[in-house]
Amino acid sequence: MTQYKIPVIPGDGIGPEIIAQGCKVIEAAGERFGFDVEWIEYPHGADHYLATGELISEDTLKELSNYSAIYLGSIGDPRVAPGVLEKGVLLAARFYFDQYVNLRPIKLLEGVWTPIKDKTPEDIDFTVVRENTEDFYIGIGGRAKKGVSKDVLEVSRSLYSAKFGLDIDTDSEEIGYQIGMISKEGTQRVIRYAFDLAEKRKKHVSSVDKANVLSDIYGFWREEFESVASEHPDVTTDFNFVDAITMWFVKNPEWFDVVVTPNMFGDIITDLGAMVQGGLGLAPGGNINPEGTSMFEPIHGSAPKYKGLNRVNPIATIWAGSMMIEQLGEKEAADAIVSAIETNILEAKVRTYDMGGSAGTSDVGDEIARIVLDK
Ligand code: IPM
Ligand code: MN
């Protein structure tokens, strides 16, 4: 029997309760398809930070890099200032493992209600490939008060590093600034990933940018997109300004196959995408390094107000778990999980409040695990 060791970080808020359902369903799939999973639990998140002062250490990250997949619940807690855990744990892991693709399928499952009138599962089935290590997420910036000051900002990646020396002179009372940066290597690799994916799908790639205003950074993105596109003459393409694509996601979702986007716009448009596919409770994602350690998580956050209530929808996390085992090579088991999610939704008996039901988080996990085993 194949044996997998998978690190799991339940995290904050609803994280532990949803991740428990994901593990349960993967174990059921293992029972049916002949593999076994040993979960290695890591405590990182708010409680651990408040108790020890540690976000996630270099040693822990190094240890985690021995595995090819990590299963993550959610990170974020109102007891800790906004951004501390998100940057110190989640983004730290994405950057450390160089998970340069954030893969977010936007797929309306059969039987799910979408707020978009007259659109069906046939119309809503595309994948967003969000760049996951650059752009305004590199986290360098600062504040300066009136007068003359200096700042040195650095970004260091395994792929490259960059250093900005700033001489600031302002007569404003105070300014805040943030540097967004993309690199040729970083842009090309994520766009290549998108084209390779499109080759296996409907052979269409849509690019997202704001090259009409932020022309240095996103004009560069566009050039690299065109250069990679020229290597794929059989794939059709289009360019979209980010403001316009939010409109097209709602009006004509059927136009899209693979959408490739810089990091920050990708963050924004995938929350919209999640709603188009029926809500945040249904939207999974994967932080992918095709040659290294990937990390799978729902798109939604830690929803602290629902913590411990056994109320939220675990489907996004269960689906993310399916993406994870697919990446480990268990394609049949992964498909069986998505199909069990679909059956659960179509049967409409055991569903959480967001889908109009009254079942608990663990009831939905039990039910999907039962369907996986039952088939
Ligand atoms: C997401 C989240 C994160 C992001 C936050 C929590 C850092 O919103 O995964 O979309 O902005 O990437
Ligand atoms: Mn987000």
Side-chain angles (χ1 to χ4, degrees):
M1 180 134 66
T2 319
Q3 170 88 32
Y4 297 106
K5 282 191 176 154
I6 305 179
V8 45
I9 309 175
D12 303 322
I14 57 169
E17 35 198 300
I18 52 177
I19 212 81
Q21 311 317 312
C23 293
K24 186 191 288 177
V25 171
I26 290 172
E27 281 163 20
E31 208 173 309
R32 180 168 152 205
F33 292 94
F35 63 87
D36 210 41
V37 183
E38 184 189 332
W39 304 105
I40 304 159
E41 196 165 318
Y42 284 79
H44 299 82
D47 287 339
H48 180 74
Y49 173 64
L50 291 169
T52 66
E54 185 210 3
L55 288 159
I56 193 162
S57 68
E58 180 99 22
D59 283 349
T60 304
L61 290 166
K62 203 163 171 194
E63 185 181 306
L64 285 166
S65 66
N66 293 318
Y67 303 92
S68 60
I70 300 169
Y71 201 19
L72 174 71
S74 48
I75 296 291
D77 186 292
R79 290 170 296 167
V80 181
V84 172
L85 297 163
E86 291 86 342
K87 287 197 269 186
V89 182
L90 180 60
L91 296 184
R94 287 179 183 171
F95 298 163
Y96 183 89
F97 301 118
D98 202 19
Q99 293 161 341
Y100 64 85
V101 172
N102 193 326
L103 195 62
R104 298 187 157 179
I106 308 297
K107 185 172 161 62
L108 179 66
L109 298 181
E110 211 63 62
V112 173
W113 178 84
T114 170
I116 304 191
K117 195 164 165 278
D118 300 332
K119 297 294 179 189
T120 67
E122 246 170 56
D123 301 313
I124 301 172
D125 182 7
F126 59 93
T127 294
V128 177
V129 173
R130 167 186 173 193
E131 200 290 320
N132 210 27
T133 60
E134 306 195 313
D135 197 32
F136 285 93
Y137 273 67
I138 54 177
I140 58 173
R143 305 260 292 256
K145 294 237 160 82
K146 188 185 288 191
V148 175
S149 58
K150 279 188 187 297
D151 201 359
V152 177
L153 303 174
E154 271 187 272
V155 53
S156 151
R157 294 278 183 274
S158 47
L159 203 58
Y160 60 83
S161 63
K163 188 167 166 180
F164 301 82
L166 303 183
D167 284 310
I168 305 163
D169 184 354
T170 179
D171 60 2
S172 157
E173 193 181 325
E174 186 171 9
I175 58 171
Y177 52 90
Q178 192 89 38
I179 292 190
M181 185 200 79
I182 64 172
S183 68
K184 193 170 184 100
E185 300 85 343
T187 303
Q188 281 191 353
R189 65 181 182 176
V190 72
I191 294 175
R192 285 227 159 80
Y193 185 96
F195 274 88
D196 289 345
L197 186 62
E199 292 279 8
K200 294 183 224 136
R201 295 180 45 111
K202 289 178 265 173
K203 295 191 189 298
H204 186 76
V205 183
S206 305
S207 171
V208 181
D209 64 53
K210 186 74 187 172
N212 50 342
V213 180
L214 303 172
S215 45
D216 293 303
I217 182 166
Y218 301 126
F220 184 26
W221 170 276
R222 231 177 227 228
E223 267 172 40
E224 295 309 321
F225 182 92
E226 279 174 326
S227 137
V228 176
S230 70
E231 298 163 8
H232 295 264
D234 53 327
V235 176
T236 55
T237 59
D238 54 53
F239 291 102
N240 303 265
F241 293 134
V242 63
D243 47 351
I245 209 168
T246 60
M247 176 175 73
W248 303 128
F249 271 15
V250 172
K251 189 163 180 289
N252 297 101
E254 67 281 2
W255 285 353
F256 298 103
D257 177 24
V258 175
V259 176
V260 66
T261 167
N263 204 345
M264 188 171 71
F265 298 150
D267 178 43
I268 298 165
I269 66 175
T270 52
D271 267 29
L272 175 62
M275 210 21 109
V276 166
Q277 70 174 113
L280 276 169
L282 292 163
N287 304 280
I288 314 278
N289 176 337
E291 286 90 43
T293 302
S294 298
M295 185 167 73
F296 297 83
E297 56 171 334
I299 291 187
H300 64 69
S302 59
K305 73 173 182 188
Y306 290 108
K307 176 179 178 167
L309 301 181
N310 196 35
R311 278 202 72 198
V312 298
N313 194 340
I315 288 180
T317 308
I318 296 171
W319 194 345
S322 151
M323 291 171 72
M324 176 172 75
I325 62 167
E326 175 162 359
Q327 189 198 265
L328 294 175
E330 300 291 344
K331 168 90 175 115
E332 241 191 314
D335 290 347
I337 292 177
V338 175
S339 141
I341 293 172
E342 277 179 302
T343 304
N344 162 256
I345 291 169
L346 279 173
E347 287 178 354
K349 287 187 297 211
V350 186
R351 14 171 82 168
T352 44
Y353 78 95
D354 56 309
M355 298 183 74
S358 58
T361 308
S362 56
D363 300 323
V364 174
D366 288 343
E367 176 65 6
I368 294 174
R370 186 191 66 76
I371 299 169
V372 165
L373 280 170
D374 219 42
K375 280 288 165 77

